[in-house]
Amino acid sequence: MKKYFLVLLLLLAAAHPAVAAAAPDTFANPAMEARARNLQRQLRCLVCQGESIDESGAPLAAELRHLVRAQMAQGRSDRQIEDYLTARYGNFILMKP
């Protein structure tokens, strides 16, 4: 019973977002960081609407920046990331639709 509880506890901890592997706030590689910032400038903050997610201080923009960086860390291309976000939020997310 104790083993079952421990396994269940480990599964729950692994599923919790705070425990899951986090995307970097900044990339150590300057080329990756420049790529991330460039892509973030091309994506509209859905809260502010007149700002990119790169310049917005809205919590949703921070989540989207995190998502962009996580997908970059997984090896996705800019186009794949844009396609994912437009499928989820529509063309409006693009600063230049």
Side-chain angles (χ1 to χ4, degrees):
M1 185 67 171
K2 197 173 190 177
K3 283 184 184 180
Y4 175 74
F5 179 72
L6 182 59
V7 169
L8 181 61
L9 184 62
L10 288 173
L11 287 173
L12 289 172
H16 191 277
V19 178
D25 288 333
T26 58
F27 286 107
N29 179 324
M32 286 287 283
E33 180 61 24
R35 180 179 157 219
R37 297 292 305 271
N38 183 53
L39 183 56
Q40 290 170 179
R41 284 185 206 100
Q42 296 175 43
L43 299 169
R44 182 185 319 274
C45 175
L46 300 171
V47 175
C48 305
Q49 298 183 5
E51 295 179 334
S52 70
I53 66 168
D54 190 60
E55 59 193 347
S56 174
L60 178 59
E63 290 177 29
L64 291 172
R65 287 190 301 268
H66 180 80
L67 178 70
V68 165
R69 290 170 180 277
Q71 290 198 3
M72 285 179 64
Q74 293 171 5
R76 293 197 173 87
S77 71
D78 290 2
R79 183 65 191 184
Q80 288 173 317
I81 296 168
E82 285 178 0
D83 288 346
Y84 173 80
L85 291 170
T86 55
R88 193 169 193 187
Y89 298 106
N91 284 337
F92 184 74
I93 196 158
L94 302 175
M95 289 296 282
K96 297 178 183 175

